[in-house]
Amino acid sequence: MNRFFISGIRSRSGRVGGSSQSSDAGGARSRIVRRKGQSGRKSSRPASSTYRARPTGDVERSESMPLVSVIIPVMNERRTIRRVIREAFAVHPSTEVIVVANGTRDGSSVIAKRAGARVIEYAEPLGHDVGRAVGAEAARGDVLLFIDGDMVIPALRLRPFVNSVLREGVDVALNDYSGPTAKPIVHSVVLAKHALNAMLQRPDLNGTSMTAVPHALSRKALMAVGAESLAVPPLAHAKAIQLGLCVKAVQHVNVGKLNPPRTERERVKPLEHVIVGDHLEALEWVLSRGDERLGFVDRTRKRHYAR
């Protein structure tokens, strides 16, 4: 079983070392533990008791304190990262950009620093989506926008996610992208997203999910679900809905067309299996919190006839 400890990470060999982490990673105040079993499923848990966010309320914002934090996990994205950061800075006048260089070896982190981003760098890959949790721990903004380093999305299309949190009271602003369903065989990830929303009694969300970028969170949402949950996006998604936060699909970005094919990666370790496993983990969490029917009623079914 591989373990990655963030805040002085532990490598695959078990050696502890903080030297692979940049000084900008001091915002990671609680350790996030990532475990991958033989099944390919992954989980995360906090190694400290609570997530400690900075104070909010009547505290006056200093000039150095950003309103928006854009979080970008990066692994070998030198072709696109400069343009991605440029669009991220254009989202709002008060923006910080946090790049989590996740085992990158192609110079992406150097390019990101030159482009003005705060870079949190790890020598070894942390696992899929762990960079989101790391970036969230380090973020200082009241709005957290999550994008990927391999998709250049214009700032004009990113602003609705931020504005819905800032101006409309949305806590989780989702990409209104459900994936293609008008086909004889629907992809298992698309089915998993629809199934999770159905079990959460939010069929209006269709197949939208925190698995897909772009999406934005309020700081209230971050404190409620915990930064560590963001390493398993469907779990954070389920927690946000179950905790009564305002979760809304606000803007359509077709990431299916923007996401470049990863033929070699998919051949060796299909990401499909990881994402479906994430949804199973979220479903397990939902089932553990409710009754056996999750609040669904029988309607016209006469259950006593089946006894």
Side-chain angles (χ1 to χ4, degrees):
M1 179 179 291
N2 296 330
R3 294 172 181 260
F4 295 96
F5 290 78
I6 299 170
S7 238
I9 64 171
R10 178 169 295 172
S11 69
R12 296 173 192 265
S13 62
R15 295 190 301 271
V16 177
S19 60
S20 61
Q21 181 178 359
S22 78
S23 59
D24 283 334
R29 290 178 290 272
S30 64
R31 294 180 300 169
I32 298 167
V33 182
R34 181 60 146 214
R35 299 173 295 168
K36 289 193 176 182
Q38 293 180 352
S39 63
R41 289 185 59 197
K42 58 190 184 205
S43 63
S44 64
R45 60 175 173 83
S48 61
S49 58
T50 56
Y51 169 79
R52 300 187 299 277
R54 63 179 177 78
T56 57
D58 296 330
V59 179
E60 185 176 354
R61 178 180 299 279
S62 68
E63 291 184 1
S64 61
M65 187 72 74
L67 186 63
V68 178
S69 298
V70 183
I71 297 159
I72 313 172
V74 170
M75 186 175 182
N76 300 331
E77 314 293 357
R78 65 174 296 118
R79 295 186 303 105
T80 54
I81 188 59
R82 189 186 303 277
R83 288 175 290 158
V84 171
I85 292 172
R86 180 184 62 202
E87 298 299 330
F89 273 120
V91 166
H92 190 276
S94 178
T95 296
E96 68 171 348
V97 176
I98 300 172
V99 166
V100 182
N102 185 3
T104 190
R105 287 175 168 79
D106 70 343
S108 297
S109 57
V110 175
I111 296 172
K113 289 174 185 176
R114 290 174 179 170
R118 291 173 58 199
V119 177
I120 302 173
E121 189 168 6
Y122 293 91
E124 295 294 330
L126 304 177
H128 189 65
D129 291 326
V130 179
R132 297 187 189 182
V134 175
E137 283 278 10
R140 298 174 294 163
D142 287 342
V143 182
L144 284 70
L145 175 66
F146 297 86
I147 58 178
D148 281 346
D150 58 355
M151 289 186 283
V152 183
I153 302 173
L156 184 65
R157 304 193 70 189
L158 295 173
R159 287 182 195 130
F161 298 96
V162 172
N163 290 337
S164 65
V165 176
L166 285 176
R167 302 173 184 174
E168 301 171 18
V170 175
D171 291 308
V172 181
L174 297 173
N175 181 3
D176 191 9
Y177 175 78
S178 295
T181 57
K183 52 193 338 184
I185 300 177
V186 179
H187 197 279
S188 62
V189 169
V190 176
L191 290 174
K193 292 177 181 179
H194 279 268
L196 179 59
N197 284 330
M199 290 190 70
L200 290 167
Q201 299 197 44
R202 287 296 305 270
D204 58 296
L205 292 176
N206 296 309
T208 60
S209 168
M210 285 177 64
T211 296
V213 293
H215 62 262
L217 301 182
S218 66
R219 183 152 290 273
K220 171 186 172 183
L222 177 64
M223 294 177 68
V225 305
E228 68 280 356
S229 295
L230 300 179
V232 186
L235 178 61
H237 178 90
K239 287 184 176 183
I241 292 174
Q242 289 285 73
L243 293 172
L245 299 176
C246 180
V247 179
K248 183 179 178 182
V250 301
Q251 168 85 353
H252 176 77
V253 178
N254 192 337
V255 290
K257 290 186 176 180
L258 290 174
N259 200 14
R262 307 273 186 166
T263 306
E264 181 62 22
R265 182 194 67 186
E266 291 302 305
R267 185 182 65 83
V268 176
K269 189 174 184 180
L271 193 56
E272 173 186 356
H273 299 165
V274 176
I275 298 175
V276 171
D278 283 354
H279 283 79
L280 291 174
E281 187 172 336
L283 289 171
E284 181 183 37
W285 181 86
V286 174
L287 288 168
S288 70
R289 285 177 54 86
D291 58 36
E292 62 182 10
R293 296 186 58 77
L294 295 176
F296 288 94
V297 297
D298 279 338
R299 297 185 182 275
T300 60
R301 182 180 182 183
K302 307 298 183 184
R303 184 173 292 273
H304 60 278
Y305 286 134
R307 293 177 181 172

PDB file of all heavy atoms in Angstrom, residues 197-232:
ATOM      1  N   ASN A 197     -25.858  11.399  -7.915  1.00  0.00           N
ATOM      2  CA  ASN A 197     -26.813  12.499  -7.753  1.00  0.00           C
ATOM      3  C   ASN A 197     -28.225  11.982  -7.489  1.00  0.00           C
ATOM      4  O   ASN A 197     -28.987  12.602  -6.734  1.00  0.00           O
ATOM      5  CB  ASN A 197     -26.795  13.405  -8.986  1.00  0.00           C
ATOM      6  CG  ASN A 197     -25.573  14.300  -9.020  1.00  0.00           C
ATOM      7  OD1 ASN A 197     -25.044  14.669  -7.977  1.00  0.00           O
ATOM      8  ND2 ASN A 197     -25.110  14.639 -10.214  1.00  0.00           N
ATOM      9  N   ALA A 198     -28.579  10.850  -8.101  1.00  0.00           N
ATOM     10  CA  ALA A 198     -29.899  10.265  -7.847  1.00  0.00           C
ATOM     11  C   ALA A 198     -30.014   9.824  -6.390  1.00  0.00           C
ATOM     12  O   ALA A 198     -31.039  10.058  -5.730  1.00  0.00           O
ATOM     13  CB  ALA A 198     -30.147   9.085  -8.781  1.00  0.00           C
ATOM     14  N   MET A 199     -28.952   9.182  -5.866  1.00  0.00           N
ATOM     15  CA  MET A 199     -28.987   8.731  -4.479  1.00  0.00           C
ATOM     16  C   MET A 199     -28.963   9.897  -3.505  1.00  0.00           C
ATOM     17  O   MET A 199     -29.461   9.792  -2.379  1.00  0.00           O
ATOM     18  CB  MET A 199     -27.827   7.779  -4.201  1.00  0.00           C
ATOM     19  CG  MET A 199     -27.966   6.430  -4.878  1.00  0.00           C
ATOM     20  SD  MET A 199     -26.731   5.228  -4.316  1.00  0.00           S
ATOM     21  CE  MET A 199     -27.297   4.914  -2.653  1.00  0.00           C
ATOM     22  N   LEU A 200     -28.400  11.016  -3.927  1.00  0.00           N
ATOM     23  CA  LEU A 200     -28.385  12.218  -3.091  1.00  0.00           C
ATOM     24  C   LEU A 200     -29.687  13.003  -3.229  1.00  0.00           C
ATOM     25  O   LEU A 200     -29.830  14.078  -2.645  1.00  0.00           O
ATOM     26  CB  LEU A 200     -27.205  13.110  -3.484  1.00  0.00           C
ATOM     27  CG  LEU A 200     -25.820  12.571  -3.127  1.00  0.00           C
ATOM     28  CD1 LEU A 200     -24.737  13.371  -3.831  1.00  0.00           C
ATOM     29  CD2 LEU A 200     -25.599  12.600  -1.620  1.00  0.00           C
ATOM     30  N   GLN A 201     -30.631  12.463  -4.018  1.00  0.00           N
ATOM     31  CA  GLN A 201     -31.919  13.099  -4.301  1.00  0.00           C
ATOM     32  C   GLN A 201     -31.731  14.480  -4.936  1.00  0.00           C
ATOM     33  O   GLN A 201     -32.461  15.424  -4.658  1.00  0.00           O
ATOM     34  CB  GLN A 201     -32.764  13.179  -3.026  1.00  0.00           C
ATOM     35  CG  GLN A 201     -33.066  11.802  -2.445  1.00  0.00           C
ATOM     36  CD  GLN A 201     -34.195  11.797  -1.448  1.00  0.00           C
ATOM     37  OE1 GLN A 201     -35.236  12.417  -1.673  1.00  0.00           O
ATOM     38  NE2 GLN A 201     -34.018  11.083  -0.350  1.00  0.00           N
ATOM     39  N   ARG A 202     -30.744  14.542  -5.837  1.00  0.00           N
ATOM     40  CA  ARG A 202     -30.514  15.746  -6.648  1.00  0.00           C
ATOM     41  C   ARG A 202     -30.460  15.369  -8.124  1.00  0.00           C
ATOM     42  O   ARG A 202     -29.473  15.618  -8.815  1.00  0.00           O
ATOM     43  CB  ARG A 202     -29.211  16.428  -6.224  1.00  0.00           C
ATOM     44  CG  ARG A 202     -29.265  17.138  -4.896  1.00  0.00           C
ATOM     45  CD  ARG A 202     -30.247  18.319  -4.886  1.00  0.00           C
ATOM     46  NE  ARG A 202     -29.987  19.272  -5.948  1.00  0.00           N
ATOM     47  CZ  ARG A 202     -29.165  20.326  -5.817  1.00  0.00           C
ATOM     48  NH1 ARG A 202     -28.541  20.519  -4.655  1.00  0.00           N
ATOM     49  NH2 ARG A 202     -28.991  21.169  -6.815  1.00  0.00           N
ATOM     50  N   PRO A 203     -31.545  14.754  -8.641  1.00  0.00           N
ATOM     51  CA  PRO A 203     -31.546  14.390 -10.059  1.00  0.00           C
ATOM     52  C   PRO A 203     -31.455  15.605 -10.975  1.00  0.00           C
ATOM     53  O   PRO A 203     -31.098  15.471 -12.146  1.00  0.00           O
ATOM     54  CB  PRO A 203     -32.875  13.647 -10.230  1.00  0.00           C
ATOM     55  CG  PRO A 203     -33.746  14.164  -9.132  1.00  0.00           C
ATOM     56  CD  PRO A 203     -32.825  14.405  -7.975  1.00  0.00           C
ATOM     57  N   ASP A 204     -31.773  16.793 -10.442  1.00  0.00           N
ATOM     58  CA  ASP A 204     -31.670  18.021 -11.237  1.00  0.00           C
ATOM     59  C   ASP A 204     -30.234  18.303 -11.661  1.00  0.00           C
ATOM     60  O   ASP A 204     -29.998  19.008 -12.652  1.00  0.00           O
ATOM     61  CB  ASP A 204     -32.201  19.218 -10.442  1.00  0.00           C
ATOM     62  CG  ASP A 204     -31.450  19.407  -9.120  1.00  0.00           C
ATOM     63  OD1 ASP A 204     -31.543  18.501  -8.269  1.00  0.00           O
ATOM     64  OD2 ASP A 204     -30.792  20.445  -8.950  1.00  0.00           O
ATOM     65  N   LEU A 205     -29.267  17.748 -10.924  1.00  0.00           N
ATOM     66  CA  LEU A 205     -27.862  17.956 -11.270  1.00  0.00           C
ATOM     67  C   LEU A 205     -27.402  17.046 -12.397  1.00  0.00           C
ATOM     68  O   LEU A 205     -26.280  17.202 -12.905  1.00  0.00           O
ATOM     69  CB  LEU A 205     -26.982  17.736 -10.035  1.00  0.00           C
ATOM     70  CG  LEU A 205     -27.121  18.759  -8.915  1.00  0.00           C
ATOM     71  CD1 LEU A 205     -26.263  18.367  -7.717  1.00  0.00           C
ATOM     72  CD2 LEU A 205     -26.771  20.163  -9.392  1.00  0.00           C
ATOM     73  N   ASN A 206     -28.251  16.066 -12.760  1.00  0.00           N
ATOM     74  CA  ASN A 206     -27.907  15.119 -13.830  1.00  0.00           C
ATOM     75  C   ASN A 206     -26.557  14.467 -13.529  1.00  0.00           C
ATOM     76  O   ASN A 206     -26.390  13.846 -12.499  1.00  0.00           O
ATOM     77  CB  ASN A 206     -27.928  15.822 -15.186  1.00  0.00           C
ATOM     78  CG  ASN A 206     -29.304  16.323 -15.541  1.00  0.00           C
ATOM     79  OD1 ASN A 206     -30.278  15.578 -15.490  1.00  0.00           O
ATOM     80  ND2 ASN A 206     -29.416  17.597 -15.888  1.00  0.00           N
ATOM     81  N   GLY A 207     -25.586  14.622 -14.428  1.00  0.00           N
ATOM     82  CA  GLY A 207     -24.285  14.005 -14.221  1.00  0.00           C
ATOM     83  C   GLY A 207     -23.202  14.993 -13.849  1.00  0.00           C
ATOM     84  O   GLY A 207     -22.017  14.700 -14.004  1.00  0.00           O
ATOM     85  N   THR A 208     -23.604  16.183 -13.369  1.00  0.00           N
ATOM     86  CA  THR A 208     -22.593  17.153 -12.951  1.00  0.00           C
ATOM     87  C   THR A 208     -21.927  16.678 -11.664  1.00  0.00           C
ATOM     88  O   THR A 208     -22.533  15.997 -10.853  1.00  0.00           O
ATOM     89  CB  THR A 208     -23.203  18.546 -12.736  1.00  0.00           C
ATOM     90  OG1 THR A 208     -24.203  18.467 -11.714  1.00  0.00           O
ATOM     91  CG2 THR A 208     -23.844  19.059 -14.009  1.00  0.00           C
ATOM     92  N   SER A 209     -20.683  17.062 -11.496  1.00  0.00           N
ATOM     93  CA  SER A 209     -19.919  16.511 -10.379  1.00  0.00           C
ATOM     94  C   SER A 209     -18.689  17.362 -10.114  1.00  0.00           C
ATOM     95  O   SER A 209     -18.186  18.042 -11.022  1.00  0.00           O
ATOM     96  CB  SER A 209     -19.485  15.074 -10.707  1.00  0.00           C
ATOM     97  OG  SER A 209     -18.528  14.594  -9.800  1.00  0.00           O
ATOM     98  N   MET A 210     -18.195  17.304  -8.882  1.00  0.00           N
ATOM     99  CA  MET A 210     -16.937  17.972  -8.562  1.00  0.00           C
ATOM    100  C   MET A 210     -15.743  17.256  -9.167  1.00  0.00           C
ATOM    101  O   MET A 210     -14.613  17.729  -9.068  1.00  0.00           O
ATOM    102  CB  MET A 210     -16.780  18.106  -7.050  1.00  0.00           C
ATOM    103  CG  MET A 210     -17.655  19.190  -6.456  1.00  0.00           C
ATOM    104  SD  MET A 210     -17.554  19.300  -4.654  1.00  0.00           S
ATOM    105  CE  MET A 210     -15.843  19.764  -4.438  1.00  0.00           C
ATOM    106  N   THR A 211     -16.000  16.116  -9.802  1.00  0.00           N
ATOM    107  CA  THR A 211     -14.930  15.457 -10.552  1.00  0.00           C
ATOM    108  C   THR A 211     -14.483  16.333 -11.711  1.00  0.00           C
ATOM    109  O   THR A 211     -13.304  16.359 -12.073  1.00  0.00           O
ATOM    110  CB  THR A 211     -15.410  14.091 -11.077  1.00  0.00           C
ATOM    111  OG1 THR A 211     -15.696  13.253  -9.952  1.00  0.00           O
ATOM    112  CG2 THR A 211     -14.368  13.424 -11.943  1.00  0.00           C
ATOM    113  N   ALA A 212     -15.428  17.032 -12.325  1.00  0.00           N
ATOM    114  CA  ALA A 212     -15.128  17.837 -13.514  1.00  0.00           C
ATOM    115  C   ALA A 212     -14.754  19.264 -13.131  1.00  0.00           C
ATOM    116  O   ALA A 212     -15.374  19.880 -12.260  1.00  0.00           O
ATOM    117  CB  ALA A 212     -16.335  17.854 -14.453  1.00  0.00           C
ATOM    118  N   VAL A 213     -13.728  19.778 -13.765  1.00  0.00           N
ATOM    119  CA  VAL A 213     -13.405  21.196 -13.665  1.00  0.00           C
ATOM    120  C   VAL A 213     -14.045  21.895 -14.862  1.00  0.00           C
ATOM    121  O   VAL A 213     -14.421  21.232 -15.830  1.00  0.00           O
ATOM    122  CB  VAL A 213     -11.872  21.416 -13.669  1.00  0.00           C
ATOM    123  CG1 VAL A 213     -11.261  20.842 -12.419  1.00  0.00           C
ATOM    124  CG2 VAL A 213     -11.223  20.826 -14.912  1.00  0.00           C
ATOM    125  N   PRO A 214     -14.166  23.214 -14.797  1.00  0.00           N
ATOM    126  CA  PRO A 214     -13.933  24.076 -13.649  1.00  0.00           C
ATOM    127  C   PRO A 214     -15.055  23.942 -12.614  1.00  0.00           C
ATOM    128  O   PRO A 214     -16.199  23.656 -12.971  1.00  0.00           O
ATOM    129  CB  PRO A 214     -13.938  25.487 -14.254  1.00  0.00           C
ATOM    130  CG  PRO A 214     -13.975  25.318 -15.735  1.00  0.00           C
ATOM    131  CD  PRO A 214     -14.562  23.973 -16.000  1.00  0.00           C
ATOM    132  N   HIS A 215     -14.736  24.183 -11.369  1.00  0.00           N
ATOM    133  CA  HIS A 215     -15.760  24.372 -10.346  1.00  0.00           C
ATOM    134  C   HIS A 215     -15.173  25.255  -9.260  1.00  0.00           C
ATOM    135  O   HIS A 215     -13.951  25.388  -9.137  1.00  0.00           O
ATOM    136  CB  HIS A 215     -16.273  23.040  -9.781  1.00  0.00           C
ATOM    137  CG  HIS A 215     -15.238  22.225  -9.092  1.00  0.00           C
ATOM    138  ND1 HIS A 215     -14.571  21.188  -9.717  1.00  0.00           N
ATOM    139  CD2 HIS A 215     -14.742  22.275  -7.837  1.00  0.00           C
ATOM    140  CE1 HIS A 215     -13.720  20.643  -8.877  1.00  0.00           C
ATOM    141  NE2 HIS A 215     -13.802  21.270  -7.720  1.00  0.00           N
ATOM    142  N   ALA A 216     -16.062  25.876  -8.492  1.00  0.00           N
ATOM    143  CA  ALA A 216     -15.619  26.817  -7.460  1.00  0.00           C
ATOM    144  C   ALA A 216     -16.315  26.506  -6.147  1.00  0.00           C
ATOM    145  O   ALA A 216     -17.449  26.021  -6.121  1.00  0.00           O
ATOM    146  CB  ALA A 216     -15.903  28.261  -7.882  1.00  0.00           C
ATOM    147  N   LEU A 217     -15.615  26.798  -5.057  1.00  0.00           N
ATOM    148  CA  LEU A 217     -16.156  26.608  -3.712  1.00  0.00           C
ATOM    149  C   LEU A 217     -16.078  27.917  -2.933  1.00  0.00           C
ATOM    150  O   LEU A 217     -15.126  28.690  -3.100  1.00  0.00           O
ATOM    151  CB  LEU A 217     -15.349  25.561  -2.929  1.00  0.00           C
ATOM    152  CG  LEU A 217     -15.206  24.145  -3.459  1.00  0.00           C
ATOM    153  CD1 LEU A 217     -14.391  23.325  -2.461  1.00  0.00           C
ATOM    154  CD2 LEU A 217     -16.559  23.510  -3.673  1.00  0.00           C
ATOM    155  N   SER A 218     -17.046  28.116  -2.068  1.00  0.00           N
ATOM    156  CA  SER A 218     -16.932  29.180  -1.082  1.00  0.00           C
ATOM    157  C   SER A 218     -16.051  28.682   0.054  1.00  0.00           C
ATOM    158  O   SER A 218     -15.869  27.475   0.237  1.00  0.00           O
ATOM    159  CB  SER A 218     -18.315  29.556  -0.544  1.00  0.00           C
ATOM    160  OG  SER A 218     -18.870  28.471   0.196  1.00  0.00           O
ATOM    161  N   ARG A 219     -15.520  29.596   0.846  1.00  0.00           N
ATOM    162  CA  ARG A 219     -14.739  29.162   2.004  1.00  0.00           C
ATOM    163  C   ARG A 219     -15.629  28.440   3.007  1.00  0.00           C
ATOM    164  O   ARG A 219     -15.181  27.518   3.698  1.00  0.00           O
ATOM    165  CB  ARG A 219     -14.030  30.358   2.657  1.00  0.00           C
ATOM    166  CG  ARG A 219     -13.139  29.946   3.823  1.00  0.00           C
ATOM    167  CD  ARG A 219     -11.989  30.897   4.025  1.00  0.00           C
ATOM    168  NE  ARG A 219     -11.012  30.803   2.950  1.00  0.00           N
ATOM    169  CZ  ARG A 219     -10.002  29.944   2.925  1.00  0.00           C
ATOM    170  NH1 ARG A 219      -9.847  29.075   3.909  1.00  0.00           N
ATOM    171  NH2 ARG A 219      -9.144  29.939   1.933  1.00  0.00           N
ATOM    172  N   LYS A 220     -16.872  28.837   3.071  1.00  0.00           N
ATOM    173  CA  LYS A 220     -17.822  28.119   3.926  1.00  0.00           C
ATOM    174  C   LYS A 220     -17.891  26.652   3.526  1.00  0.00           C
ATOM    175  O   LYS A 220     -17.886  25.759   4.384  1.00  0.00           O
ATOM    176  CB  LYS A 220     -19.203  28.766   3.810  1.00  0.00           C
ATOM    177  CG  LYS A 220     -20.329  27.993   4.470  1.00  0.00           C
ATOM    178  CD  LYS A 220     -21.678  28.637   4.161  1.00  0.00           C
ATOM    179  CE  LYS A 220     -22.830  27.770   4.653  1.00  0.00           C
ATOM    180  NZ  LYS A 220     -24.141  28.371   4.286  1.00  0.00           N
ATOM    181  N   ALA A 221     -17.951  26.386   2.219  1.00  0.00           N
ATOM    182  CA  ALA A 221     -18.008  25.000   1.741  1.00  0.00           C
ATOM    183  C   ALA A 221     -16.719  24.263   2.064  1.00  0.00           C
ATOM    184  O   ALA A 221     -16.735  23.093   2.460  1.00  0.00           O
ATOM    185  CB  ALA A 221     -18.273  24.975   0.241  1.00  0.00           C
ATOM    186  N   LEU A 222     -15.587  24.934   1.894  1.00  0.00           N
ATOM    187  CA  LEU A 222     -14.304  24.303   2.192  1.00  0.00           C
ATOM    188  C   LEU A 222     -14.230  23.887   3.656  1.00  0.00           C
ATOM    189  O   LEU A 222     -13.806  22.779   3.993  1.00  0.00           O
ATOM    190  CB  LEU A 222     -13.158  25.254   1.856  1.00  0.00           C
ATOM    191  CG  LEU A 222     -11.755  24.744   2.184  1.00  0.00           C
ATOM    192  CD1 LEU A 222     -11.403  23.519   1.361  1.00  0.00           C
ATOM    193  CD2 LEU A 222     -10.714  25.844   1.991  1.00  0.00           C
ATOM    194  N   MET A 223     -14.662  24.771   4.551  1.00  0.00           N
ATOM    195  CA  MET A 223     -14.623  24.462   5.981  1.00  0.00           C
ATOM    196  C   MET A 223     -15.593  23.340   6.326  1.00  0.00           C
ATOM    197  O   MET A 223     -15.339  22.535   7.218  1.00  0.00           O
ATOM    198  CB  MET A 223     -14.933  25.717   6.784  1.00  0.00           C
ATOM    199  CG  MET A 223     -13.883  26.812   6.662  1.00  0.00           C
ATOM    200  SD  MET A 223     -14.331  28.316   7.549  1.00  0.00           S
ATOM    201  CE  MET A 223     -14.231  27.734   9.237  1.00  0.00           C
ATOM    202  N   ALA A 224     -16.717  23.275   5.612  1.00  0.00           N
ATOM    203  CA  ALA A 224     -17.738  22.271   5.916  1.00  0.00           C
ATOM    204  C   ALA A 224     -17.313  20.869   5.480  1.00  0.00           C
ATOM    205  O   ALA A 224     -17.449  19.907   6.235  1.00  0.00           O
ATOM    206  CB  ALA A 224     -19.055  22.660   5.248  1.00  0.00           C
ATOM    207  N   VAL A 225     -16.800  20.745   4.256  1.00  0.00           N
ATOM    208  CA  VAL A 225     -16.465  19.410   3.741  1.00  0.00           C
ATOM    209  C   VAL A 225     -15.053  18.983   4.116  1.00  0.00           C
ATOM    210  O   VAL A 225     -14.747  17.789   4.130  1.00  0.00           O
ATOM    211  CB  VAL A 225     -16.648  19.331   2.206  1.00  0.00           C
ATOM    212  CG1 VAL A 225     -18.046  19.740   1.798  1.00  0.00           C
ATOM    213  CG2 VAL A 225     -15.611  20.177   1.464  1.00  0.00           C
ATOM    214  N   GLY A 226     -14.182  19.955   4.413  1.00  0.00           N
ATOM    215  CA  GLY A 226     -12.802  19.644   4.758  1.00  0.00           C
ATOM    216  C   GLY A 226     -11.927  19.540   3.524  1.00  0.00           C
ATOM    217  O   GLY A 226     -12.306  18.902   2.533  1.00  0.00           O
ATOM    218  N   ALA A 227     -10.782  20.167   3.567  1.00  0.00           N
ATOM    219  CA  ALA A 227      -9.881  20.162   2.409  1.00  0.00           C
ATOM    220  C   ALA A 227      -9.484  18.760   2.011  1.00  0.00           C
ATOM    221  O   ALA A 227      -9.320  18.447   0.828  1.00  0.00           O
ATOM    222  CB  ALA A 227      -8.640  21.005   2.700  1.00  0.00           C
ATOM    223  N   GLU A 228      -9.349  17.865   3.002  1.00  0.00           N
ATOM    224  CA  GLU A 228      -8.910  16.503   2.696  1.00  0.00           C
ATOM    225  C   GLU A 228      -9.901  15.777   1.798  1.00  0.00           C
ATOM    226  O   GLU A 228      -9.528  14.897   1.026  1.00  0.00           O
ATOM    227  CB  GLU A 228      -8.670  15.706   3.982  1.00  0.00           C
ATOM    228  CG  GLU A 228      -9.907  15.393   4.809  1.00  0.00           C
ATOM    229  CD  GLU A 228     -10.385  16.539   5.669  1.00  0.00           C
ATOM    230  OE1 GLU A 228      -9.705  17.591   5.704  1.00  0.00           O
ATOM    231  OE2 GLU A 228     -11.435  16.399   6.317  1.00  0.00           O
ATOM    232  N   SER A 229     -11.189  16.135   1.879  1.00  0.00           N
ATOM    233  CA  SER A 229     -12.205  15.471   1.049  1.00  0.00           C
ATOM    234  C   SER A 229     -12.020  15.763  -0.432  1.00  0.00           C
ATOM    235  O   SER A 229     -12.475  14.990  -1.277  1.00  0.00           O
ATOM    236  CB  SER A 229     -13.610  15.908   1.480  1.00  0.00           C
ATOM    237  OG  SER A 229     -13.906  15.478   2.792  1.00  0.00           O
ATOM    238  N   LEU A 230     -11.360  16.881  -0.744  1.00  0.00           N
ATOM    239  CA  LEU A 230     -11.208  17.272  -2.143  1.00  0.00           C
ATOM    240  C   LEU A 230     -10.298  16.321  -2.908  1.00  0.00           C
ATOM    241  O   LEU A 230     -10.291  16.329  -4.138  1.00  0.00           O
ATOM    242  CB  LEU A 230     -10.671  18.699  -2.236  1.00  0.00           C
ATOM    243  CG  LEU A 230     -11.545  19.773  -1.582  1.00  0.00           C
ATOM    244  CD1 LEU A 230     -10.905  21.136  -1.725  1.00  0.00           C
ATOM    245  CD2 LEU A 230     -12.947  19.777  -2.189  1.00  0.00           C
ATOM    246  N   ALA A 231      -9.553  15.485  -2.194  1.00  0.00           N
ATOM    247  CA  ALA A 231      -8.739  14.471  -2.872  1.00  0.00           C
ATOM    248  C   ALA A 231      -9.604  13.379  -3.468  1.00  0.00           C
ATOM    249  O   ALA A 231      -9.152  12.619  -4.328  1.00  0.00           O
ATOM    250  CB  ALA A 231      -7.735  13.860  -1.884  1.00  0.00           C
ATOM    251  N   VAL A 232     -10.855  13.300  -3.023  1.00  0.00           N
ATOM    252  CA  VAL A 232     -11.838  12.366  -3.591  1.00  0.00           C
ATOM    253  C   VAL A 232     -13.063  13.218  -3.970  1.00  0.00           C
ATOM    254  O   VAL A 232     -14.008  13.334  -3.183  1.00  0.00           O
ATOM    255  CB  VAL A 232     -12.230  11.260  -2.599  1.00  0.00           C
ATOM    256  CG1 VAL A 232     -13.138  10.224  -3.261  1.00  0.00           C
ATOM    257  CG2 VAL A 232     -10.994  10.580  -2.034  1.00  0.00           C
TER     258      VAL A 232
END
